[in-house]
Amino acid sequence: MTSKRQFGTLRKLSSGRWQARYRDASGLRHAADDTFASKSEAARWLALAEADVVRGDWIDPRLGRVTFAEWAAEWLSTTVHLRAQTRAGYDAVLRTHLLPVFESRPIATIEQIDMRRFVANMLVDGAAPGTVRGARKVARLVFAAAIGSGALRANPCDGVKVPRSDHEEMVFLDPLQIEELADAIAAPYGVLIRLAAYSGMRAGEIGALRVGRLDLLRGRIEIVESLAEEPGRGLVFGPPKTYQRRSVTLPRFLCDELGAHLRDRPHDPEALVFSAPEGGPLNHRNFYRRQFRDAVVAGGLPARLRFHDLRHTCAALLVGQSAHPLVVMKRLGHSSITVTMNTYGHMFPALEESVTDGLDRAWRTAHDEKDAARGARVGHDDPHKRGVVVPIGAGS
């Protein structure tokens, strides 16, 4: 027996239970995942489905039955803007953390409590907060793709918190320490150390730097590429981290050193400025293990010093020169001033104090000028100073 309604239909099955069905805007028929013991229960389910359609909250049950693994593969293959290194990182997070837990689950069955439990279990197993945060980020992106396609109404990651990571202390070198590190490292990489510390370039950007991107007469570098190691592919050239080409100016001493570094090489605009000892692109991981770490020890520098701290050092040197945060942002290639201030904002109080002192000096100068002008007006109004003879006893 079928009961006709304005939205959907109710049908009594031979078992005595009731089935609720309806058609979507495209004409496809959908039925409740289960049958109901009574007609009223089936009608209630159908009324809720109709309300979702009216509010625009309707989701496609067929898409909700697609597994998390299938949605993850679809999301990763259709997100075309990702850098190759970022894509490889997301893939590793999926394979290592998310798929072992959610691979075969229909995506619509994963709820916030599942994600809360997932995060809690990762932390109990000893994963660092940053690792957990990365896994939650990838999961959120997969769920967002499902929401955009109409498979989910809400993101199960919303409201799921992860503890803050311990702040990794930056190391800032002064110019003498930069020299000690550059002198301690094997030739010809001393100039590479100085370039990192005085340009703020990332390791991958230095590894991808080509001779044709150097303009040593004008003291300028064009940064258009980055070099990174990808699983299964080796070293791969790609765009810089923020996808933005930028130009960095160099101090004259560094132009002279780069010129000396390239002097005896045939001019080839496509040749790499720095290469591996055995030739070919410089693998940063090998360079860090085989040259950089030994130079840190030989130079008597802090043991926790990382290559990336040379980039932090550049920021500190710029702030020490009273550089505006926008200058720091552009030189380091940050995506926004927010990134710059979140990373280096703690360095700017001294600059703020300098600006405040300047405001104080501006006020004092204006105050002195005002007093001087007032004194001039008083003198101008004094009849004695104007040469007017005032009779003795006048005004008495």
Side-chain angles (χ1 to χ4, degrees):
M1 180 176 67
T2 302
S3 174
K4 292 187 176 181
R5 302 161 47 88
Q6 188 173 0
F7 178 85
T9 59
L10 300 175
R11 185 163 69 103
K12 190 173 184 179
L13 305 176
S14 58
S15 63
R17 294 181 67 82
W18 287 81
Q19 182 186 56
R21 299 180 298 179
Y22 65 93
R23 292 184 184 275
D24 62 24
S26 64
L28 292 175
R29 176 173 288 173
H30 302 279
D33 290 336
D34 201 358
T35 57
F36 303 91
S38 67
K39 181 178 180 179
S40 61
E41 290 178 357
R44 188 179 304 113
W45 182 90
L46 206 54
L48 292 173
E50 182 179 13
D52 287 342
V53 172
V54 172
R55 289 194 305 266
D57 292 337
W58 181 79
I59 60 173
D60 189 337
R62 295 169 306 148
L63 296 178
R65 289 190 285 270
V66 176
T67 66
F68 179 88
E70 292 174 282
W71 274 111
E74 179 71 15
W75 161 72
L76 199 58
S77 65
T78 57
T79 308
V80 297
H81 69 279
L82 295 178
R83 295 171 66 239
Q85 188 177 9
T86 303
R87 186 182 303 277
Y90 285 169
D91 183 63
V93 170
L94 284 167
R95 288 184 288 101
T96 304
H97 302 296
L98 291 166
L99 293 182
V101 179
F102 299 115
E103 182 172 16
S104 60
R105 289 274 301 271
I107 201 162
T109 68
I110 303 173
E111 301 178 352
Q112 189 200 64
I113 188 60
D114 298 305
M115 293 309 303
R116 291 171 65 90
R117 190 177 296 115
F118 169 76
V119 165
N121 288 340
M122 281 192 71
L123 292 170
V124 168
D125 290 340
T131 301
V132 180
R133 192 172 294 108
R136 183 192 58 180
K137 173 186 176 180
V138 173
R140 184 190 295 278
L141 292 170
V142 174
F143 289 128
I147 290 171
S149 298
L152 293 177
R153 183 178 295 115
N155 198 311
C157 290
D158 289 347
V160 179
K161 305 297 183 182
V162 178
R164 288 188 176 184
S165 303
D166 293 334
H167 182 69
E168 191 170 36
E169 187 177 357
M170 302 176 187
V171 178
F172 306 104
L173 302 184
D174 60 36
L176 180 57
Q177 289 175 312
I178 297 171
E179 289 305 301
E180 290 169 346
L181 179 62
D183 291 343
I185 204 163
Y189 297 121
V191 63
L192 185 154
I193 295 297
R194 295 185 181 96
L195 177 62
Y198 287 98
S199 73
M201 294 172 67
R202 299 177 179 93
E205 294 168 347
I206 293 175
L209 181 61
R210 301 182 188 275
V211 173
R213 300 298 179 186
L214 290 175
D215 185 345
L216 298 182
L217 290 178
R218 293 195 305 153
R220 189 173 295 275
I221 290 180
E222 295 294 328
I223 301 172
V224 300
E225 284 185 291
S226 185
L227 182 65
E229 187 174 10
E230 294 182 18
R233 297 184 62 193
L235 294 174
V236 177
F237 290 89
K241 186 174 181 179
T242 56
Y243 289 90
Q244 295 178 351
R245 298 170 60 139
R246 70 185 191 278
S247 178
V248 171
T249 56
L250 300 177
R252 177 46 51 191
F253 84 87
L254 198 49
C255 294
D256 294 341
E257 283 206 27
L258 286 166
H261 171 68
L262 299 172
R263 183 176 299 133
D264 297 329
R265 292 168 50 176
H267 180 70
D268 178 3
E270 293 301 311
L272 295 172
V273 175
F274 300 102
S275 58
E278 63 278 7
L282 182 64
N283 185 309
H284 179 71
R285 182 183 301 178
N286 292 341
F287 168 78
Y288 187 82
R289 289 200 321 262
R290 298 171 185 173
Q291 280 91 23
F292 186 81
R293 291 310 312 164
D294 289 344
V296 169
V297 175
L301 299 168
R304 67 181 186 279
L305 179 69
R306 306 158 302 164
F307 187 88
H308 197 72
D309 286 316
L310 297 178
R311 183 168 160 85
H312 297 323
T313 292
C314 180
L317 292 174
L318 292 173
V319 174
Q321 296 293 321
S322 300
H324 191 280
L326 281 173
V327 173
V328 180
M329 180 197 82
K330 291 180 179 179
R331 176 169 284 260
L332 298 186
H334 287 159
S335 58
S336 69
I337 192 66
T338 302
V339 175
T340 305
M341 294 308 296
N342 286 345
T343 308
Y344 302 114
H346 62 286
M347 297 185 193
F348 287 98
L351 180 58
E352 184 176 350
E353 291 172 7
S354 174
V355 171
T356 303
D357 290 342
L359 294 174
D360 186 74
R361 288 193 299 272
W363 177 85
R364 292 183 184 281
T365 299
H367 191 268
D368 292 344
E369 290 176 352
K370 181 179 70 173
D371 287 348
R374 182 179 297 159
R377 286 198 299 272
V378 170
H380 182 73
D381 294 337
D382 187 337
H384 292 286
K385 294 185 176 180
R386 291 204 307 269
V388 177
V389 178
V390 180
I392 297 176
S396 59

